[in-house]
């Protein structure tokens, strides 16, 4: 058994030491993390530590605020003994078994692990990590690093093919650094030959090999020792895994074929399963589109709810209301488009969830999805975040740094609260949309990027354009396609489904019992207007899960929900006089406004369209209780 991992965690001058024996260590705010950190800037699953042979890697798991080693934001990186991982205001330093493993690479005094055991641990680590990994680029880097480590090669290559074209080309050297333009560093003739072979190709000296002697691409590239294995899944060739050594002939042995072949087998199974899942997801989307079209023709047909995974809907979107069905139908139509999208809706309706569903159900699902909140940063910081900066561009710019648009290249850039962007930043964003070009702060170099831009706003952009607060040309560049996320009060019939969905999530995350709703509680929840929308509903469910057990009763609900239910108890029979109906309507409207603004009568009156004095008179007239029950 390998040495346990000792991790020193520090935040706000409070230190704790954790010892973990797992080969893969999950770090984040989630309860299922081996290292749980209570940092508001940490994601639920923020990053992961992996052991590959004697090396230890830190891998960012698409966290919202990034994982940093020193001053560098990383995606996947080898750790050195002195490295400090930073997540928000939390720092982590590894010691014990991991640090000793790292030190042993450089120290000849440390007792070495037998090579056979080291190779076995490497292959097992690759298998475990592929099971957890969902991003193709990170999986490819893992496979190439493992192949280089097992064979002691100079470089490693991975080429993936689909429909006869290369969809991914990745290369890394023995120092775990990416090799630029990998498709130009490997012989096309050798690549084509290997892809048509059923077995591995082992060349002791490529330039003098009888079959490849005189091949211009091999001699130009200076290839000598080469070991290449095709990736096959159910008879289909999906790519190539290869290692080479340009300085030494006969660098690879026959035994290395089994090692690289084993990695190729793991890669093939992983890729085959991933492609199969993508095909099934595409079939489900197609079936969902057909079902919705059929439902429009047959009004009596029942429509299945949108599920949290699979089915005819999008992951994370729950609902059967007509407004949600229309939203999902519109999303289906634009999945394979590169057109810019603006998602509009009130705060808390789930605009980012819609953007993620658009990305991860589209053909860009294995590409980056990058998020930036345009209203959270001043112009100078936002420009650097979006476009990056060069070393020395401003005080504190100690190195070149990629911007969000470069990180999203090939994928989706999600701009949240785009309506809060200043006019100066709007002009810079317009150029990116028009030309597909960015310039880092402090640099004159133009860099091309290809991203799908999805923006979200809770403001009325058209009204901002009329008021001169938002550029009209940018508005039309962004809003090629518009999606509207309905507020919760427009789809009250979805509230029981959402409650059931959130009950399951909160119970799983907090290790609590899954609760159900009584009929009275469900009725009260549907009666409330939910000004905070789905976000407010989830907070209500979280409180109910954490503070109670068994069936949820109406008296457990929060004060605003109960006040709304009390307003709805004014049921009038058929034929009731008009004055009684007006009275009931006014009482319900006043109670709803007070629930939204419990501590501000002027604002409540403004919501009702009357003066503060008129509101106070009606409260007195109808003897409406305004005690703060919360």
């Amino acid at each position: 058994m390998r040495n346990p991992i000792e991790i020193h965690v520090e935040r706000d001058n409070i230190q704790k030491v954790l010892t973990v024996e797992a080969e893969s260590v999950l770090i984040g705010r989630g309860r299922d993390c081996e290292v749980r950190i209570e940092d508001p800037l940490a994601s639920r699953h923020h990053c992961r530590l992996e052991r590959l042979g004697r090396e230890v890697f830190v891998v960012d798991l698409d966290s919202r605020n990034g994982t940093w080693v020193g001053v560098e934001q990383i995606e996947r990186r080898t750790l050195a003994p002195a490295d400090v991982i930073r997540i928000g205001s939390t720092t982590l330093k590894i010691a014990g078994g991991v640090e000793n493993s790292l030190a042993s690479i450089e120290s000849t005094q440390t007792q070495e692990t037998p090579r056979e055991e080291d190779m076995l641990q490497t292959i097992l680590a690759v298998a475990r990590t592929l099971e957890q990994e969902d991003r193709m680029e990170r999986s490819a880097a893992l496979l190439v690093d493992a192949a280089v480590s097992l064979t002691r090669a100079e470089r490693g290559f991975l080429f993936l093919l689909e429909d006869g074209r290369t969809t991914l080309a990745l290369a890394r050297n023995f120092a775990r650094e990416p090799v630029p333009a990998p498709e130009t560093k490997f012989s096309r003739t050798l690549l084509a030959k290997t892809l048509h072979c059923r077995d591995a190709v082992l060349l002791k000296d490529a330039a003098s090999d009888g079959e490849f002697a005189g091949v211009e691409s091999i001699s130009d590239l200076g290839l000598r020792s080469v070991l290449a294995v095709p990736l096959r899944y159910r008879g289909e060739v999906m790519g190539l895994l290869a290692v080479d050594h340009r300085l030494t002939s006969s660098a690879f042995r026959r035994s290395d074929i089994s090692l690289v072949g084993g990695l190729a087998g793991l890669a093939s199974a992983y890729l085959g399963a991933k492609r199969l899942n993508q095909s099934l997801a595409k079939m489900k989307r197609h079936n969902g589109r057909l079902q919705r079209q059929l439902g429009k023709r047959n009004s009596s047909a029942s429509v299945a709810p949108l599920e949290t995974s699979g089915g005819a809907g999008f992951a994370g979107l729950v609902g059967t209301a007509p407004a949600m069905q229309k939203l999902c139908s519109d999303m289906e139509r634009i999945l394979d488009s590169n057109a810019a999208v603006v998602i509009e809706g009130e705060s808390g309706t789930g605009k980012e969830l819609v953007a993620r569903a658009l990305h991860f159900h589209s053909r860009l699902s294995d590409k980056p999805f990058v998020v930036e909140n345009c209203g959270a940063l001043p112009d100078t910081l936002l420009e650097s975040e979006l476009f990056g900066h060069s070393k020395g561009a401003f005080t504190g710019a100690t190195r070149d740094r990629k911007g969000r648009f470069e990180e999203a290249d090939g994928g989706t850039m999600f701009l949240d609260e785009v309506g809060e962007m200043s006019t100066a930043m709007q002009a810079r964003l317009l150029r990116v949309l028009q030309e597909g070009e960015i310039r880092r702060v402090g640099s004159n170099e133009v860099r091309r990027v290809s991203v799908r831009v999805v923006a979200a706003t809770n403001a009325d952009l058209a009204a901002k354009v009329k008021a001169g607060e938002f550029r009209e040309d940018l508005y039309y560049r962004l809003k090629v396609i518009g999606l509207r996320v309905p507020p919760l009060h427009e789809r009250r019939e979805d509230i029981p489904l959402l409650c059931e969905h959130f009950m399951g999530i909160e119970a799983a995350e907090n290790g609590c019992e899954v609760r159900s709703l009584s009929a009275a509680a469900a009725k009260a929840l549907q009666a409330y207007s939910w000004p905070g929308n789905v976000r407010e509903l989830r907070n209500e469910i979280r409180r109910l899960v954490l503070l109670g057990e068994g069936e949820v009763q109406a008296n457990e609900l929060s004060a605003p929900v109960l006040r709304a239910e009390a307003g709805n108890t004014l049921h009038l029979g058929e034929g009731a006089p008009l004055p009684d109906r007006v009275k009931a309507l006014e009482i319900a409207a006043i109670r709803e406004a007070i629930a939204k603004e419990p501590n501000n009568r002027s604002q409540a009156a403004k919501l009702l369209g009357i003066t503060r004095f008129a509101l106070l008179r009606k409260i007195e007239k109808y003897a409406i209780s305004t005690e703060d029950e919360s």
Side-chain angles (χ1 to χ4, degrees), residues 281-282 285 308-311 313-316 331-332 335-336 355-365:
K282 190 175 293 185
R285 291 199 301 269
T308 56
S309 63
F314 292 89
M331 290 169 64
E332 286 278 7
L335 280 179
D336 295 326
R356 288 183 179 275
L358 269 178
H359 173 80
F360 288 106
H361 284 77
S362 75
R363 57 186 176 78
L364 303 177
S365 60

Side-chain angles (χ1 to χ4, degrees), residues 255-324:
S255 59
D256 291 330
I257 296 178
S258 299
L259 294 173
V260 179
L263 289 175
L266 290 173
S268 298
Y270 169 80
L271 289 169
K274 191 175 182 65
R275 288 189 183 176
L276 183 59
N277 289 337
Q278 289 173 346
S279 298
L280 290 173
K282 190 175 293 185
M283 288 173 60
K284 288 178 180 178
R285 291 199 301 269
H286 179 65
N287 290 338
R289 189 182 298 118
L290 292 177
Q291 288 178 14
R292 278 189 280 274
Q293 290 172 352
L294 181 61
K296 291 176 183 177
R297 296 174 188 170
N298 183 3
S299 59
S300 64
S302 62
V303 182
L306 298 178
E307 300 175 351
T308 56
S309 63
F314 292 89
L317 301 187
V318 179
T320 61
M324 285 299 291

Side-chain angles (χ1 to χ4, degrees), residues 36-48:
R36 192 176 178 201
I37 56 177
E38 301 292 343
D39 194 307
L41 295 179
S43 300
R44 193 167 70 89
H45 291 170
H46 196 98
C47 63
R48 183 174 65 233

Side-chain angles (χ1 to χ4, degrees), residues 167-240:
T167 57
L168 176 68
L170 182 139
R172 292 167 69 85
N173 61 23
F174 64 92
R176 305 300 183 259
E177 299 168 339
V179 176
E183 62 278 2
T184 65
K185 304 294 194 303
F186 198 82
S187 167
R188 292 182 179 274
T189 303
L190 184 55
L191 174 61
K193 167 68 176 176
T194 307
L195 291 174
H196 286 88
C197 289
R198 294 202 59 86
D199 301 319
V201 172
L202 175 61
L203 302 179
K204 296 183 177 180
D205 194 333
S208 62
D209 186 277
E211 188 174 357
F212 297 101
V215 175
E216 187 175 344
S217 60
I218 290 179
S219 58
D220 288 347
L221 293 171
L223 300 182
R224 301 198 72 179
S225 299
V226 178
L227 172 56
V229 181
L231 307 181
R232 294 179 178 274
Y233 184 74
R234 296 181 178 177
E236 178 189 357
V237 178
M238 295 187 296
L240 172 76

Side-chain angles (χ1 to χ4, degrees), residues 40-100:
L41 295 179
S43 300
R44 193 167 70 89
H45 291 170
H46 196 98
C47 63
R48 183 174 65 233
L49 293 179
E50 299 172 356
R51 283 199 264 191
L52 188 61
R54 296 189 192 176
E55 294 179 298
V56 182
F57 293 81
V58 59
V59 182
D60 182 74
L61 300 178
D62 296 323
S63 62
R64 181 150 189 161
N65 294 295
T67 303
W68 301 74
V69 176
V71 295
E72 177 188 358
Q73 185 176 2
I74 61 95
E75 288 189 2
R76 183 173 188 271
R77 173 183 149 153
T78 316
L79 287 175
D83 282 341
V84 175
I85 303 169
R86 180 167 57 84
I87 300 172
S89 58
T90 304
T91 60
L92 301 94
K93 188 175 187 304
I94 56 174
V98 174
E99 188 173 63
N100 291 340

